């Protein structure tokens, strides 16, 4: 479904070149909920944004559904991006549009006829439990409601892939659960492949079946979370997993 091969991305800064991502390779299979985790500045969001080429890598290739996106001209790339929805950390809603029109926006950009837009918008709002907020404006919504509007907007174009950049970092812990539940339902019911960036291990453990740990722009370890025993080797992965491993051992001891 998604193959990143030796991705590299460097930014020019006042302090000199910043190597945000270095030789990162990753394979995401259809139906995965794949987590990218690491501390701030690890390169997670930059790597995520290379999947739909919002950040074009300086090195390496991006393949989606067997097609090399990095080789496409801009016009063709725009068409392929319609199959890749994206959810941002800070919602990125249009404040001068109501909920209905926010969800409509990508369909308008794609020149979908108005008559075809309505059932799709209504279906997406129903999917995220916001049918009753169609006429509300973002200023009147809670953080969790705003993020669910953003999810509905990302689903409007019938994507095969959903990229989520820290989707729960701007909401409270209680709302985090509802956002993650919505993403799980989307994955389960629609078969949409999800790649999610987070710095929170509880998010990864809640919904991901696979995870890659990033540090200083590199992928240092990858795990299949469906395996019963996970033994992280790198210091960063050991730190991120330590609470979960300790809890698992404690539970095993209690049943021994």
């Amino acid at each position: 479904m998604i193959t990143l091969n030796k991705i590299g991305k460097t930014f020019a800064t006042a302090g000199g070149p910043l190597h945000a991502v270095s030789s990162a390779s990753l394979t995401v299979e259809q139906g995965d909920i794949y987590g990218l985790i690491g501390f701030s500045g690890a390169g997670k969001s930059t790597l995520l944004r290379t999947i739909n080429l919002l950040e074009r890598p300086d090195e390496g290739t991006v393949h989606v559904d067997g097609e090399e996106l990095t080789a496409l001209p801009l016009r063709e790339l725009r068409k392929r991006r319609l199959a890749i929805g994206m959810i941002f950390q800070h919602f990125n809603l249009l404040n001068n549009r109501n909920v209905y029109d926010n969800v409509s926006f990508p369909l308008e950009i794609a020149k979908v006829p108005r008559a075809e837009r309505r059932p799709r918008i209504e279906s997406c709002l129903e999917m995220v439990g916001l049918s009753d907020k169609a006429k509300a404006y973002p200023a009147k919504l809670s953080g969790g409601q705003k993020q669910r509007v953003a999810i509905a907007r990302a689903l409007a174009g019938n994507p095969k892939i959903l990229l989520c950049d820290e989707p729960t970092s701007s909401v409270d812990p209680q709302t985090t659960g509802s956002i993650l539940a919505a993403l799980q339902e989307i994955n389960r019911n629609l078969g949409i492949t999800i790649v999610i960036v987070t710095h929170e291990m509880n998010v990864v453990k809640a919904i991901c079946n696979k995870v890659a740990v990033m540090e200083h722009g590199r992928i240092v370890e990858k795990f299949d979370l469906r395996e019963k025993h996970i033994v992280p080797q790198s210091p960063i992965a050991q730190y991120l997993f330590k609470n979960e491993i300790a809890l698992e051992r404690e539970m095993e001891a209690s049943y021994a």
Side-chain angles (χ1 to χ4, degrees), residues 126-139:
E126 183 178 357
M127 205 176 302
V128 299
L130 288 177
S131 297
D132 61 330
K133 298 292 184 182
K135 294 183 179 181
Y137 283 82

Side-chain angles (χ1 to χ4, degrees), residues 84-141:
I84 308 174
M86 190 158 189
I87 302 168
F88 300 90
Q89 177 180 355
H90 298 296
F91 321 129
N92 286 15
L93 301 181
L94 300 169
N95 290 324
N96 62 342
R97 284 178 165 235
N98 63 25
V99 166
Y100 182 96
D101 288 338
N102 263 281
V103 179
S104 174
F105 187 67
L107 300 177
E108 295 167 28
I109 296 297
K111 302 188 185 305
V112 175
R114 184 183 295 272
E116 294 178 26
R117 285 183 229 153
R118 178 173 291 278
R120 184 62 192 162
I121 294 166
E122 290 175 348
S123 173
C124 290
L125 288 176
E126 183 178 357
M127 205 176 302
V128 299
L130 288 177
S131 297
D132 61 330
K133 298 292 184 182
K135 294 183 179 181
Y137 283 82
K140 298 294 185 181
L141 303 178

Side-chain angles (χ1 to χ4, degrees), residues 19 27 38 55 101 165 176 220 247:
H19 303 293
T27 298
E55 293 289 355
D101 288 338
D165 191 1
T176 291
V220 295
L247 179 60

